[in-house]
Amino acid sequence: MASRGEQEDVMARYRSPLVSRYASAEMAYNFSDRKKFGTWRRLWLYLAQAEKSLGLSITDEQIREMEANLDNIDFKMAAEEEKKLRHDVMAHVHTFAHCCPKAAAIIHLGATSCYVGDNTDLIVLRDGFNLLLPKLARVISRLADFAEKYADMPALGFTHYQPAQLTTVGKRCCLWIQDLCMDLQNLERARDDLRFRGVKGTTGTQASFLQLFEGDHSKVEELDRLVTAKAGFKRAYMVTGQTYSRKVDIGVLAVLASLGASIHKICTDIRLLANLKEIEEPFEKDQIGSSAMPYKRNPMRSERCCSLARHLMTLVMDPLQTAAVQWFERTLDDSANRRVCLAEAFLTADIILSTLQNVSEGLVVYPKVIERRIRQELPFMATENIIMAMVKAGGNRQDCHEKIRVLSQQAAAVVKQEGGDNDFIARVCADPYFSPIHKQLESLLDPSSFTGRAPQQVAKFLKEEVRPALIPYQSEMGGKIELAL
């Protein structure tokens, strides 16, 4: 346990809230120095193993020594070496060699810094997707359960945030789910499209390895294949400069930015519904909504998602600009930028998915509020049904239209000018002209008759598109998530 002095020292330095406040331990570890430098050592081991199997003079003893020290990293020594050498990779070569004296001569043999740097990045990106995908699947699953439960519940629809034709609570949720299912496909595709940089040398020509193997092209190709397989990739990029193309990073961050846009839209809808008092995110027993207004129930989780999603959406600009200014085989102005944007994109996506899962597991619906809002607006929406019923009863469409126009404007004046309730139906009931359909008014105003095929759409969508997409993640659905903050 850290001493009070150590704790105060930590609190005197800036810490990214992405890690210190929000992100999961798994995603924070994925972008940690321990994961990074441990992966560097494994890549040096893979290279040595493959080079040995293809005939280079590397001993079993050297391999065993490297295997025994993969996680024996002296970070203090590495920091001192980097301060002296001004080169992070060579600092860790020296540090690894210090605990592997027999293998020192063959560590990093024939490789360039990007052999460990870029290949580690690709491993970390792949592993990052593997952490995000089950989380996204869990969010979709929770929302699918919610949509199924409320598939039949009529709710006022909105276009332009103005009252529109009715939908159902479940159908609206399916709009959210559909966007997230697109994101699930995009993340899967981005992960599966990732290739390994492999063993390519300083400018991507593999010249150093061709020299090591005395001009044997087939052994150089086999070396590339062996190391790629050991790292868990099926394919490597056939051509690279010193680095893999920075357009790869664009593709990775683009799908994460798109996920951010989806979550921002979903959580904005929830915030608007909270204002309408129709649906709320979970609100804990002792939670305080406002330091000044005790009655408030602010949608702080959804607000957090929107806040961080905006950051996620902007991060794609970094790799776009980086890819555009990579001169020839590479330039180092990509490095510092990538240290920030790649990690922050995955950390941010991780946070907003965890938060949205928490929200989706505790959504609260207020049916009476939803019903009341329908009653306020439905009378005007029912006018076409009333006209059709009157025509069937022998009335004239144009006469009926004019009667309804006058009565609806009178009712609208009560709502807008007097602040009263919509009394349009009461006016229809009081008008002898509409006596032929007075007994039909209740059925004509049944909200379920205004929702079209929404319930059927929900059922078909969940059965045919959503549930099948979640099958690969069934074993990782887990229980409810609790937020630390």
Side-chain angles (χ1 to χ4, degrees):
M1 185 174 180
S3 67
R4 181 171 180 177
E6 290 171 332
Q7 291 174 346
E8 289 177 352
D9 187 49
V10 168
M11 299 305 290
R13 297 193 301 269
Y14 173 78
R15 297 180 300 160
S16 169
L18 293 178
V19 174
S20 66
R21 189 172 177 90
Y22 300 126
S24 68
E26 296 81 7
M27 190 62 79
Y29 173 75
N30 191 51
F31 287 92
S32 68
D33 282 351
R34 182 163 291 282
K35 168 76 175 276
K36 175 181 177 179
F37 298 128
T39 303
W40 283 13
R41 291 193 174 189
R42 283 162 176 77
L43 287 168
W44 282 320
L45 174 64
Y46 301 155
L47 181 62
Q49 289 172 330
E51 289 174 336
K52 179 181 183 296
S53 72
L54 292 169
L56 292 191
S57 181
I58 296 173
T59 67
D60 289 338
E61 187 177 24
Q62 288 173 315
I63 296 295
R64 286 195 299 271
E65 189 178 52
M66 294 173 72
E67 290 173 335
N69 287 281
L70 292 176
D71 297 311
N72 179 26
I73 304 174
D74 187 338
F75 288 100
K76 182 178 179 181
M77 180 182 177
E80 291 170 351
E81 288 287 339
E82 184 173 355
K83 187 175 181 180
K84 179 173 64 177
L85 301 173
R86 295 293 176 182
H87 198 288
D88 56 350
V89 173
M90 286 309 300
H92 278 269
V93 169
H94 285 213
T95 304
F96 196 19
H98 180 75
C99 56
C100 299
K102 295 183 177 69
I106 56 92
I107 294 172
H108 199 65
L109 183 58
T112 186
S113 297
C114 285
Y115 167 69
V116 289
D118 271 30
N119 283 325
T120 293
D121 286 345
L122 290 161
I123 290 170
V124 167
L125 295 179
R126 177 197 64 194
D127 294 351
F129 278 126
N130 286 335
L131 290 171
L132 291 180
L133 282 163
K135 292 192 172 196
L136 176 53
R138 284 196 290 271
V139 170
I140 294 170
S141 175
R142 304 309 191 261
L143 290 175
D145 292 342
F146 180 86
E148 189 170 50
K149 181 177 180 179
Y150 294 101
D152 299 329
M153 181 179 284
L156 185 63
F158 290 92
T159 58
H160 317 276
Y161 201 36
Q162 300 298 314
Q165 200 171 60
L166 299 192
T167 183
T168 70
V169 172
K171 170 61 190 300
R172 175 178 284 143
C173 183
C174 284
L175 299 180
W176 304 341
I177 295 170
Q178 181 167 252
D179 287 352
L180 293 176
C181 283
M182 293 181 192
D183 294 314
L184 189 74
Q185 292 178 334
N186 290 339
L187 264 65
E188 289 173 337
R189 187 183 308 114
R191 178 199 59 189
D192 296 342
D193 282 350
L194 285 175
R195 301 190 197 184
F196 205 50
R197 177 190 176 274
V199 182
K200 297 296 195 297
T202 55
T203 58
T205 65
Q206 299 177 305
S208 58
F209 297 104
L210 191 62
Q211 184 177 0
L212 279 175
F213 290 104
E214 299 178 345
D216 190 329
H217 291 268
S218 63
K219 284 191 174 182
V220 176
E221 289 187 2
E222 181 65 4
L223 178 70
D224 204 357
R225 189 195 69 77
L226 285 172
V227 174
T228 297
K230 286 177 181 291
F233 285 81
K234 295 179 180 179
R235 297 182 299 167
Y237 295 107
M238 294 185 69
V239 295
T240 72
Q242 190 173 86
T243 69
Y244 67 79
S245 171
R246 294 310 183 217
K247 283 185 71 68
V248 173
D249 295 343
I250 297 174
V252 169
L253 264 65
V255 299
L256 297 181
S258 182
L259 171 65
S262 299
I263 293 178
H264 197 295
K265 184 265 192 289
I266 293 167
C267 290
T268 299
D269 282 358
I270 292 171
R271 292 164 66 191
L272 293 170
L273 289 167
N275 172 261
L276 297 175
K277 297 180 175 57
E278 292 191 5
I279 293 178
E280 285 183 345
E281 64 178 38
F283 197 89
E284 296 172 19
K285 178 177 177 290
D286 296 323
Q287 184 174 331
I288 295 174
S290 168
S291 62
M293 295 168 278
Y295 60 88
K296 293 193 74 178
R297 294 170 65 95
N298 298 336
M300 53 82 69
R301 293 169 173 85
S302 297
E303 290 172 323
R304 177 186 299 172
C305 284
C306 289
S307 182
L308 290 172
R310 287 202 299 273
H311 178 59
L312 179 55
M313 288 186 282
T314 65
L315 287 173
V316 72
M317 292 305 300
D318 277 340
L320 281 168
Q321 295 180 70
T322 294
V325 299
Q326 285 299 288
W327 303 344
F328 303 112
E329 280 64 50
R330 79 88 54 103
T331 178
L332 197 61
D333 69 348
D334 63 338
S335 179
N337 184 285
R338 295 176 69 253
R339 288 176 193 266
V340 176
C341 70
L342 296 180
E344 288 202 355
F346 278 87
L347 289 164
T348 306
D350 175 72
I351 295 160
I352 60 178
L353 281 173
S354 294
T355 308
L356 183 57
Q357 181 185 336
N358 177 263
V359 170
S360 62
E361 288 172 346
L363 285 172
V364 180
V365 177
Y366 295 103
K368 295 300 181 182
V369 178
I370 294 172
E371 290 172 11
R372 183 175 184 275
R373 185 156 285 109
I374 290 173
R375 289 197 303 272
Q376 289 174 336
E377 301 293 341
L378 190 60
F380 292 151
M381 297 178 191
T383 54
E384 186 66 20
N385 288 7
I386 292 172
I387 290 174
M388 294 300 101
M390 281 296 296
V391 170
K392 288 180 181 179
N396 178 282
R397 184 196 180 281
Q398 279 64 42
D399 292 342
C400 185
H401 184 279
E402 177 59 20
K403 283 276 189 181
I404 287 177
R405 185 188 70 81
V406 173
L407 295 181
S408 63
Q409 288 187 3
Q410 291 172 349
V414 171
V415 173
K416 295 179 180 179
Q417 296 175 19
E418 300 176 19
D421 291 332
N422 189 333
D423 63 356
F424 172 71
I425 296 303
R427 292 176 186 274
V428 171
C429 290
D431 193 323
Y433 175 81
F434 293 100
S435 58
I437 64 164
H438 280 169
K439 292 181 180 180
Q440 300 179 44
L441 284 176
E442 184 175 348
S443 62
L444 291 174
L445 290 167
D446 179 5
S448 63
S449 67
F450 290 82
T451 59
R453 297 192 64 254
Q456 290 74 23
Q457 288 178 348
V458 171
K460 186 178 179 66
F461 175 59
L462 296 181
K463 179 182 178 180
E464 297 185 11
E465 293 196 22
V466 179
R467 303 296 187 191
L470 300 179
I471 290 174
Y473 306 98
Q474 288 300 321
S475 64
E476 301 174 273
M477 286 303 175
K480 288 188 175 184
I481 190 168
E482 299 295 333
L483 298 182
L485 290 173

